Amino acid sequence: MNRIDLSRRPFSLDHTLSCGQVFRWERQGAWWQGIVGNDLIRVRQEGDILMYESGNEETIRSYFQLDLDLDRILQSIDRDPVIHGAIGHCRGLRIVRQDPWECLASYICATYANIPGIIKKIQLLCESFGEPFDTEYGTCYRFPSAEAIASSELCDIRDCRLGYRSEYLCETARRITDDPAWAGRIAALSCGEARTELMAFRGVGPKVADCVLLFAFARYEVFPVDVWISRIMHGCYGLPIPSAYQRIAAEGRAIFGDYAGYAQEYLFCDRQRLVPGRS
DNA sequence: CGCCAGGCGGGAC
DNA sequence: GTCCCGCATGGC
């Protein structure tokens, strides 16, 4: 059994993995199991100790961004009673560092679907096109490469129940296969330029682009707006509903500052409490 | 059953 | 530029 001493750094494994930013982690009793890159990771938290029995410390530290000063970030976004409540409720949630292709493909599949449904679609996608590997915990599947998707028949991708998203995913996979340096190029761009570049992929609009910027490129200033965030910004911050995407995003950025994306995740994580009367 | 979901593309204007 | 609609599927 390996241990990472969190040494009083705020971290909540449960909030981090169940808040809806990632779709491939499974809870197995006290353990969480997921695949990061090529590796199976099994982790479990007990207070200030993060235990792991598969995977290596460097991967885990980097994936969960354990060396990021979360206290400082939370202090910087804690600017009103609404976000203060969300922070109190979800403290320790960290934005994980996702692989750019997995994040992009996942959020293309996530449009206009609910989270349990997204999890199923992506699981089907991985079991159909991902590379299987055996572990002492059973057979696991890596996230399919862009090449694997690009070289598959559209009808086989449709079998993963992606609906109209199938063609978007397939086309984006082909473009990325032809341009393997895409992520490095985007990482070097300014936020606005990177966003434009991402939105050139089919199936990627402002919301998906912002999620990819936030979750894969660590652009913590972007404020993705989905229907829940829209409701919260209406109900708790007085914005008219409906408001244009860019208006809400700009307002989030103005209210919360350089870590608006972190604020967004805390609000999203706490959405059921913040938007009463929905489940 | 009907309504909704981490929206987007395309067309109208 | 903004508004509006259709969309394929499943969760609740």
Side-chain angles (χ1 to χ4, degrees):
Chain A
M1 178 82 61
N2 304 289
R3 297 158 172 265
I4 296 175
D5 178 11
L6 299 167
S7 57
R8 301 170 43 76
R9 286 186 188 81
F11 180 57
S12 164
L13 186 63
D14 286 344
H15 281 124
T16 297
L17 293 179
S18 61
C19 72
Q21 61 177 324
V22 287
F23 307 109
R24 287 245 292 153
W25 284 85
E26 234 177 284
R27 190 204 277 283
Q28 297 180 349
W31 292 93
W32 282 96
Q33 176 171 316
I35 292 145
V36 176
N38 289 329
D39 304 325
L40 172 70
I41 306 281
R42 280 173 64 89
V43 282
R44 159 181 153 207
Q45 180 172 19
E46 269 184 27
D48 280 348
I49 304 295
L50 189 60
M51 282 165 282
Y52 62 101
E53 58 182 16
S54 178
N56 67 76
E57 175 160 351
E58 255 327 289
T59 304
I60 291 168
R61 288 192 99 81
S62 158
Y63 184 75
F64 290 111
Q65 294 282 290
L66 293 179
D67 296 316
L68 194 68
D69 188 348
L70 183 58
D71 269 329
R72 188 176 62 83
I73 291 171
L74 296 183
Q75 194 175 344
S76 101
I77 61 174
D78 192 356
R79 301 183 179 188
D80 63 66
V82 175
I83 188 69
H84 186 78
I87 291 169
H89 217 248
C90 309
R91 180 171 293 276
L93 186 166
R94 284 174 183 265
I95 292 177
V96 307
R97 191 66 187 263
Q98 297 190 38
D99 170 75
W101 159 246
E102 176 169 345
C103 185
L104 177 62
S106 297
Y107 278 89
I108 286 174
C109 298
T111 63
Y112 202 44
N114 53 37
I115 290 175
I118 296 164
I119 290 169
K120 287 192 173 170
K121 289 179 209 305
I122 291 178
Q123 183 180 352
L124 262 176
L125 194 68
C126 293
E127 289 173 2
S128 304
F129 303 107
E131 192 186 340
F133 63 104
D134 290 323
T135 74
E136 58 179 299
Y137 308 99
T139 301
C140 297
Y141 294 85
R142 300 195 171 93
F143 194 85
S145 66
E147 294 79 5
I149 302 283
S151 64
S152 298
E153 295 297 331
L154 189 55
C155 54
D156 294 331
I157 296 168
R158 280 224 175 76
D159 286 345
C160 298
R161 319 311 293 159
L162 298 182
Y164 60 88
R165 309 167 189 88
S166 307
E167 283 137 67
Y168 303 153
L169 179 65
C170 197
E171 198 171 320
T172 296
R174 282 198 294 262
R175 281 199 41 199
I176 278 171
T177 300
D178 294 339
D179 179 19
W182 71 282
R185 197 177 54 252
I186 284 176
L189 295 175
S190 74
C191 206
E193 290 169 334
R195 191 165 187 273
T196 303
E197 192 91 347
L198 285 167
M199 286 177 63
F201 292 116
R202 272 180 61 81
V204 180
K207 196 273 180 177
V208 170
D210 284 347
C211 285
V212 174
L213 287 171
L214 181 59
F215 298 138
F217 292 98
R219 304 292 174 105
Y220 297 129
E221 67 269 41
V222 303
F223 192 83
V225 179
D226 73 324
V227 292
W228 290 98
I229 291 298
S230 176
R231 280 178 203 137
I232 292 167
M233 294 303 283
H234 169 67
C236 304
Y237 292 92
L239 266 71
I241 199 162
S243 293
Y245 185 98
Q246 288 306 335
R247 158 118 200 246
I248 303 173
E251 191 71 18
R253 178 79 169 76
I255 294 173
F256 301 112
D258 289 344
Y259 293 96
Y262 250 97
Q264 187 271 7
E265 264 319 90
Y266 274 78
L267 295 173
F268 184 81
C269 184
D270 204 20
R271 61 194 177 280
Q272 275 89 0
R273 199 180 60 84
L274 292 173
V275 186
R278 306 241 185 194
S279 59

